[in-house]
Amino acid sequence: MSTGRFAGKVVLVTGAGSGIGRATAVAFAKEGADLVLCDVNEATLDEAAAAVRAQGRSVLTRKVDVSSAAAMQSFADEVHASFPAVDVLVNNAGVAVTGGLRDTTLEDWNWVMGINVMGVVHGCHFFVPRMIERGRGGHVVNIASAAGLAGSRLLVAYSTTKFAVVGFSESLRADLRRHRIGVTAICPGFIRTNINEAGRRRGRWAEPAAVERSRRLMERGASPELVAEKILNAVERDQGLVPVTKEAHLIYALKRSSPALLAAVWRRLEAWQAPEL
Ligand SMILES: NC(=O)c1ccc[n+]([C@@H]2O[C@H](COP(=O)([O-])OP(=O)(O)OC[C@H]3O[C@@H](n4cnc5c(N)ncnc54)[C@H](O)[C@@H]3O)[C@@H](O)[C@H]2O)c1
């Protein structure tokens, strides 16, 4: 018999092998939930599963590419053979492309849109209808970003995907309210994870000095465990949009109160990231 804030619940986390996804899986396990985890990286997925089991919770894992509709369909079939529906769906898997329009290839666009946007859509498309049919409510958490609140010339494609996640989450929240399914968009600022190493850097942003400045910025970022804590709270409190970290709160506040000041702050940050540009 499990105890904790999420005792008896089944929580699915995509991209659970590393960073925010792994921390979120462990945080839910500590609060009594059983986990369903997927990732493209089988080795890190196994490590995440071991961390969940160490909390005494059960875990189902599968190597899945969230950008593939066919892979997500068969993942959902397998999950629903064990559980009628998941209680909490965390669409976390994501990748970054750093660069402006002329640096970003169409292949980069397809890659980042496929994972960051269609991955989230696939999660909802294949798992939410079962939540509705079961009739016991539930919650969807989509990991967006502070880059989904303010556009940046460093992150043209990435920012586009995260704006899409924020807009999708807001629309979905209105759509699913009558089924007692809450929807949260989480908007973290800088978090110390592998996202930079796993991502693509283009043009001048790929030069060693720019890479080093970006590494230093991420090094000073908050922990993935902080994001996990905010996710658990957001599910309990049914919050719609949750900025995480001081810079994300500042961006969100400036966006609403002074978009011109926000643009000026961004320009300063971008100038620091690549002063030669
Ligand atoms: N780190 C940050 O500063 C930051 C800030 C804001 C938002 N985010 C968002 O947080 C989420 C998690 O990123 P993270 O920072 O923990 O990075 P991370 O690289 O540490 O973790 C991302 C995980 O997603 C997995 N993944 C990548 N492509 C996948 C695919 N096609 N299918 C399934 N899994 C896949 C990776 O293998 C990895 O385990 C992302 O959506 C990211 O955009 C991160």
Side-chain angles (χ1 to χ4, degrees):
M1 186 69 187
S2 69
T3 55
R5 290 149 73 196
F6 291 91
K9 303 291 183 195
V10 176
V11 179
L12 187 155
V13 183
T14 70
S18 163
I20 294 169
R22 188 190 293 201
T24 301
V26 171
F28 273 112
K30 281 184 177 160
E31 291 296 339
D34 292 317
L35 273 299
V36 176
L37 307 179
C38 79
D39 203 291
V40 277
N41 185 328
E42 224 164 358
T44 59
L45 185 60
D46 286 347
E47 289 169 13
V52 166
R53 283 192 199 99
Q55 299 300 326
R57 304 313 317 155
S58 78
V59 56
L60 184 162
T61 61
R62 172 120 183 228
K63 183 181 176 186
V64 178
D65 176 352
V66 295
S67 71
S68 160
M72 286 294 275
Q73 165 85 78
S74 72
F75 180 39
D77 289 346
E78 186 182 335
V79 171
H80 294 139
S82 303
F83 312 101
V86 300
D87 296 287
V88 180
L89 167 66
V90 185
N91 289 303
N92 162 76
V95 290
V97 175
T98 305
L101 176 73
R102 286 180 300 168
D103 310 315
T104 310
T105 65
L106 282 181
E107 201 275 321
D108 292 334
W109 276 101
N110 284 330
W111 181 65
V112 71
M113 296 283 280
I115 297 169
N116 292 10
V117 181
M118 290 314 296
V120 175
V121 172
H122 290 153
C124 295
H125 181 81
F126 291 113
F127 289 95
V128 170
R130 288 298 205 100
M131 290 165 108
I132 294 173
E133 281 161 29
R134 188 181 55 164
R136 277 175 31 199
H139 205 96
V140 177
V141 179
N142 295 328
I143 310 301
S145 169
L149 302 172
S152 157
R153 70 187 179 105
L154 263 97
L155 297 166
V156 168
Y158 180 76
S159 216
T160 301
T161 66
K162 295 303 184 177
F163 267 76
V165 172
V166 170
F168 175 53
S169 304
E170 196 174 304
S171 309
L172 199 64
R173 185 171 170 84
D175 189 17
L176 299 182
R177 184 186 306 274
R178 69 208 148 100
H179 300 293
R180 292 184 300 112
I181 298 172
V183 180
T184 302
I186 297 282
C187 294
F190 300 111
I191 310 296
R192 291 188 309 272
T193 69
N194 294 328
I195 192 157
N196 256 352
E197 289 69 27
R200 300 177 179 180
R201 300 182 70 84
R202 298 299 189 214
R204 300 293 292 276
W205 312 104
E207 288 180 4
V211 173
E212 177 54 22
R213 275 189 289 273
S214 169
R215 194 191 58 75
R216 275 168 31 210
L217 191 66
M218 294 301 278
E219 220 174 53
R220 292 206 297 267
S223 71
E225 286 72 24
L226 174 72
V227 186
E229 184 191 320
K230 301 291 180 189
I231 290 172
L232 267 66
N233 290 343
V235 173
E236 270 190 338
R237 298 170 193 167
D238 189 19
Q239 294 168 310
L241 190 147
V242 178
V244 182
T245 72
K246 284 185 191 123
E247 63 277 7
H249 277 283
L250 179 68
I251 287 167
Y252 191 43
L254 286 180
K255 185 173 179 74
R256 288 173 295 161
S257 61
S258 177
L261 182 57
L262 175 58
V265 169
W266 257 146
R267 277 197 298 276
R268 288 286 295 276
L269 179 68
E270 287 163 350
W272 177 76
Q273 282 280 289
E276 58 282 355
L277 278 179

